[in-house]
């Protein structure tokens, strides 16, 4: 790695193994992959982590229901993920399993740090617990949550998040002195305006912390599937303390490994339901352990499917494998990030997917590619002519390409995927407008060779740079597109902006391929 490469560390949540992969898991992981690819393209030294969360009561119960050992269940689900991710062109640098020795070593080291500096003590715990959510609720929280008929969640003994039953529990437990971090967390959030995104979520977290932080129970004695508390094996470490530590254990923590250079993480991508864990508990743990905090936590919204909440009981959870039977992976990647502003909730519908594909990809990008390369074939045998006379509209096209490059980088820095794609689409429309206004077929008929050469060159060069910008989103399609333009095998993983982002790098005399459709229309 050259010295000047900036490390970039992006993570997804680690997914529970009590369930099959679904649309939600696929969504975060695709988003992380796009950012990882974008940063590799920009020349950064990227570490992209995903993995699975194998411990906890929920997983133990799911395994018991199937009459197998928890680790056997975990192995099955891990295999699903390991085949799924490449099918979606996910190129993670590592995959962490919480049952691995390297992870347990990290969790133990974290525990010991907290214990040694007095942040952990033993006490008694009595509270409400939601098994499906792995979440504890205080009496006050359950009392504050009220049904439309005025009944409180405490009276109903219902979890305010998932609306399923909560149970009352009392057990001996270790506690983490979370209450000591209330002011520090508030100060951190206020002083680091980029720490929590989107901005609306920041206020939600602030309100939660201002409401008061109680010490956090961080061990359990009621089940065994977890990382044992060091020197007190009747206790297992609370699954969230275990799980959150993955972001460090994957780097080799507590050893001073080469990969520790990636800490602090640049970005934890998560769903909105697990923001509190990432924006409050995790930072407090890190503060207690004297470790730097992640730079940013982005909480995305949730998908419904054809207007309905996805749920196991309804049987409408979208399985990535089924989606991949119907659509190409790049189409799914594009749709998920284009359809809904990252951070907002959204609805997956097959109709919207097809409409977006046909209008934005088949009609706009596909058409620009086809007509440009076809005209190049027809009028110049596929050989790129030299620019003969550049006019203001040509310069405007180049300026727009450069504007697109800047804007896409800025939008992706803010995780505004939909704006990045919208910006590329504007550029594509500009390209199609440029064709319509210049009428190359008329120039050919009139024998205006200078103008025709210039227009053809600008179209192909613009297409090349559009494909580069789209390559993190649709690596397979853009590899095909660039292959037609460059007439050579393209290794999409190896592209670097440094070598290819400048206008005019395609040389006159270069032979392009005959167009073949990259985005055939979907019926
Ligand atoms: N294991 C924890 C995370 C630990 S991270 C240190 C966990 N796992 S999970 O498998 O239940 O959920 C993983 C992610 O899926 C969460 O970010 C959650 O927001 C996301 N989604 C679950 N359902 C979803 C939708 N319907 N839509 C979008 N994302 C959703 O939580």
């Amino acid at each position: 790695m050259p010295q000047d490469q900036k490390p970039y560390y992006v993570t997804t949540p680690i997914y529970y193994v009590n369930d099959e992969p679904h649309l939600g898991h696929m969504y975060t992981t695709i988003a992380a992959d796009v950012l990882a690819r974008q940063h590799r393209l920009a020349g950064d030294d990227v570490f992209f982590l995903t993995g699975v969360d194998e411990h906890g009561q929920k997983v133990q119960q799911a395994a018991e229901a199937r009459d197998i050992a928890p680790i056997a269940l975990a192995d099955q689900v891990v295999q699903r993920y390991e085949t799924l991710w490449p099918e979606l062109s996910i190129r993670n640098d590592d995959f962490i399993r919480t049952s691995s020795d390297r992870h347990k070593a990290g969790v133990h080291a974290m525990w010991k740090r907290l214990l040694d500096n007095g942040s952990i003590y033993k006490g008694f715990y009595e509270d409400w617990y939601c098994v499906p959510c792995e979440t504890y609720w205080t009496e006050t929280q359950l009392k504050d949550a009220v049904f439309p008929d005025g009944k409180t969640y405490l009276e109903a003994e219902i979890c305010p998040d998932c609306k399923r039953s909560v149970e009352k529990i009392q057990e001996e437990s270790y506690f983490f002195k979370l209450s000591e971090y209330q002011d520090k967390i508030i100060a951190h959030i206020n002083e680091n305006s980029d720490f929590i995104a989107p901005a609306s979520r920041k206020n939600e977290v602030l309100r939660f912390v201002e409401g008061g932080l109680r010490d956090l129970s961080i061990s359990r004695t009621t089940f065994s599937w977890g990382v044992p508390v060091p020197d007190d094996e009747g206790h297992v470490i609370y699954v969230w303390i275990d799980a959150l530590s993955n972001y460090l254990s994957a780097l080799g923590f507590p050893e001073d490994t080469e990969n520790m250079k990636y800490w602090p993480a640049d970005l934890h991508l998560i769903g909105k339901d697990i923001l509190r864990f990432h924006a409050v508990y995790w930072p407090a743990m890190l503060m207690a352990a004297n470790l730097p905090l992640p730079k940013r936590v982005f909480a995305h919204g949730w998908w419904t499917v054809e207007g309905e909440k996805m749920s196991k009981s309804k049987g409408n959870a979208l399985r990535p494998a089924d989606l991949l039977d119907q659509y190409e992976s790049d189409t799914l990647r594009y749709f998920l990030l284009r359809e809904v502003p990252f951070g907002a909730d959204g609805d997956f519908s097959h109709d919207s997917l097809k409409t977006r594909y046909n209008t934005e990809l088949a009609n706009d990008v596909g058409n620009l590619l086809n007509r440009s390369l076809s005209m190049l074939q027809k009028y110049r045998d596929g050989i790129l002519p030299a620019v003969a006379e550049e006019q203001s509209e040509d310069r405007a096209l180049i300026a727009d390409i450069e504007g697109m490059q800047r804007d896409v980088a800025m939008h992706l820095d803010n995780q505004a995927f939909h704006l990045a794609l919208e910006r590329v689409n504007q550029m594509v429309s500009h390209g199609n407008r440029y064709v319509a206004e210049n009428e190359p077929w008329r120039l050919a008929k009139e024998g205006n060779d200078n103008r025709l050469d210039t227009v053809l060159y600008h179209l192909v060069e613009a297409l090349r740079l559009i494909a580069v910008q789209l390559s993190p989103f649709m690596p397979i399609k853009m590899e095909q597109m660039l292959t037609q333009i460059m007439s050579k095998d393209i290794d999409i993983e190896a592209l670097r902006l440094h070598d290819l982002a400048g206008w005019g790098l395609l040389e006159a005399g270069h032979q392009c391929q005959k167009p073949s459709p990259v985005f055939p229309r979907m019926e």
Side-chain angles (χ1 to χ4, degrees):
M1 291 283 169
Q3 280 296 306
D4 53 355
Q5 273 196 306
K6 258 201 318 234
Y8 179 76
Y9 183 22
V10 59
T11 68
T12 73
I14 48 174
Y15 305 116
Y16 285 131
V17 294
N18 59 320
D19 201 0
E20 300 288 306
H22 64 58
L23 179 67
H25 306 137
M26 172 177 157
Y27 182 47
T28 329
T29 315
I30 289 174
D33 185 68
V34 168
L35 295 173
R37 285 175 183 273
Q38 159 82 3
H39 278 268
R40 286 190 205 110
L41 191 62
D44 293 341
D45 173 8
V46 172
F47 195 79
F48 163 22
L49 177 69
T50 186
V52 284
D53 191 352
E54 300 174 84
H55 294 136
Q57 192 169 12
K58 210 156 60 167
V59 175
Q60 185 170 328
Q61 286 173 350
E64 276 162 11
R66 291 174 175 79
D67 214 12
I68 54 175
I71 189 68
L73 174 63
D75 286 346
Q76 285 172 10
V77 177
V78 163
Q79 228 187 355
R80 300 250 200 296
Y81 278 110
E82 283 180 342
T83 45
L84 174 65
W85 292 150
E87 287 173 13
L88 284 164
S89 300
I90 304 292
R91 244 201 74 206
N92 47 302
D93 294 289
D94 198 355
F95 185 93
I96 184 87
R97 295 186 59 163
T98 56
S99 63
S100 62
D101 288 341
R102 63 170 174 151
H103 174 69
K104 288 180 197 159
V107 176
H108 274 167
M110 179 62 86
W111 182 278
K112 287 206 178 101
R113 277 206 190 198
L114 301 185
L115 192 70
D116 289 350
N117 62 20
S119 298
I120 289 181
Y121 63 92
K122 207 172 188 176
F124 262 99
Y125 177 81
E126 190 177 279
D127 231 333
W128 295 91
Y129 186 60
C130 173
V131 176
C133 296
E134 309 262 14
T135 303
Y136 291 86
W137 295 95
T138 63
E139 296 242 333
T140 328
Q141 284 172 322
L142 293 184
K143 232 185 266 168
D144 286 350
V146 182
F147 287 101
D149 66 2
K151 196 172 179 184
T152 68
Y153 280 71
L154 184 64
E155 288 164 318
E157 302 189 3
I158 293 284
C159 166
D161 272 354
C162 74
K163 320 284 185 229
R164 285 177 277 199
S165 298
V166 287
E167 37 187 85
K168 188 161 197 164
I169 48 172
Q170 193 197 42
E171 47 176 314
E172 187 189 60
S173 172
Y174 287 92
F175 286 86
F176 169 57
K177 290 184 180 165
L178 182 63
S179 57
E180 289 187 353
Y181 292 90
Q182 180 167 348
D183 294 342
K184 289 181 194 128
I185 298 277
I186 292 174
H188 185 81
I189 295 174
N190 284 329
E191 283 158 21
N192 296 273
S193 57
D194 285 342
F195 180 56
I196 299 176
S200 54
R201 298 277 168 210
K202 177 172 137 181
N203 299 328
E204 180 188 307
V205 174
L206 275 175
R207 277 196 305 275
F208 169 75
V209 181
E210 283 159 2
L213 292 180
R214 288 193 327 160
D215 288 351
L216 186 67
S217 161
I218 54 166
S219 75
R220 297 289 171 267
T221 52
T222 45
F223 63 92
S224 56
W225 179 234
V227 181
V229 168
D231 307 319
D232 195 351
E233 307 237 324
H235 287 252
V236 294
I237 296 175
Y238 175 40
V239 67
W240 273 100
I241 301 291
D242 169 355
L244 289 162
S245 305
N246 91 87
Y247 303 127
L248 276 166
S249 68
L251 301 180
F253 176 82
E255 303 306 323
D256 185 19
T257 58
E258 164 78 10
N259 278 349
M260 281 301 288
K261 69 171 175 229
Y262 295 110
W263 193 258
D266 292 85
L267 180 65
H268 291 321
L269 286 181
I270 55 164
K272 62 181 183 179
D273 55 319
I274 55 176
L275 179 57
R276 192 190 304 164
F277 299 97
H278 284 82
V280 182
Y281 301 171
W282 179 227
M285 274 169 70
L286 290 166
M287 285 174 179
N290 242 322
L291 289 162
L293 268 48
K295 293 177 198 153
R296 186 167 165 94
V297 177
F298 195 113
H300 65 66
W302 271 39
W303 286 90
T304 51
V305 176
E306 308 284 353
E308 291 209 48
K309 205 177 155 196
M310 269 201 302
S311 80
K312 245 199 228 170
S313 46
K314 279 200 203 109
N316 67 342
L318 282 181
R319 301 286 169 210
D322 297 338
L323 289 170
L324 282 165
D325 284 343
Q326 293 176 68
Y327 307 109
E328 289 174 290
S329 63
D330 279 358
T331 306
L332 293 165
R333 291 169 65 105
Y334 179 86
F335 175 72
L336 291 176
L337 295 178
R338 173 71 184 92
E339 179 73 358
V340 175
F342 204 61
D345 292 336
D347 184 52
F348 186 102
S349 101
H350 293 276
D351 280 348
S352 337
L353 182 149
K354 285 175 195 159
T355 305
R356 264 204 201 279
Y357 175 91
N358 280 335
T359 52
E360 294 171 5
L361 297 179
N363 282 2
D364 293 353
V365 186
N367 187 29
L368 184 62
L369 176 70
N370 269 322
R371 68 206 299 208
S372 304
L373 290 189
S374 299
M375 290 188 291
L376 187 66
Q377 283 296 329
K378 185 166 173 193
Y379 303 128
R380 295 293 181 261
D381 295 324
I383 298 170
L384 204 65
V387 171
E389 46 161 77
E390 204 169 74
Q391 298 183 353
S392 64
E393 59 201 285
D394 311 323
R395 285 190 287 275
L397 193 83
I398 300 174
D400 202 11
I401 285 282
E402 289 165 355
M404 167 190 71
Q405 293 172 327
R406 279 193 303 274
D407 292 344
V408 167
M410 174 191 74
H411 291 316
L412 289 183
D413 273 350
N414 297 327
Q415 294 81 45
F417 300 97
H418 69 298
L419 294 181
L421 288 171
E422 206 172 276
R423 183 64 183 85
V424 179
N425 293 346
Q426 280 167 15
M427 185 62 231
V428 172
S429 302
H430 188 164
N432 278 316
R433 213 166 51 238
Y434 179 82
V435 175
E437 284 166 6
N438 282 287
E439 301 177 290
W441 46 90
R442 180 183 49 82
L443 298 173
K445 210 162 161 190
E446 290 169 356
N448 189 344
D449 281 333
N450 279 356
R451 206 46 217 142
L452 182 58
D453 283 352
T454 304
V455 169
L456 290 174
Y457 183 91
H458 280 74
L459 280 172
V460 177
E461 183 62 343
L463 274 164
R464 180 180 73 85
L465 293 169
I466 287 169
V468 168
Q469 291 299 310
L470 287 176
S471 64
F473 293 89
M474 296 184 283
I476 296 177
K477 297 281 188 191
M478 291 308 108
E479 194 169 290
Q480 292 166 0
M481 186 159 159
L482 284 168
T483 301
Q484 293 181 29
I485 296 170
M486 310 294 288
S487 301
K488 61 176 182 200
D489 287 341
I490 297 291
D491 177 3
I492 206 83
E493 319 283 353
L495 300 185
R496 294 292 173 265
L497 288 181
H498 182 266
D499 312 314
L500 49 76
W503 178 270
L505 291 179
L506 265 186
E507 285 179 20
H510 166 78
Q511 171 86 52
C512 294
Q513 291 183 354
K514 291 202 175 94
S516 79
V518 172
F519 297 106
R521 271 190 80 79
M522 229 188 255
E523 295 315 326

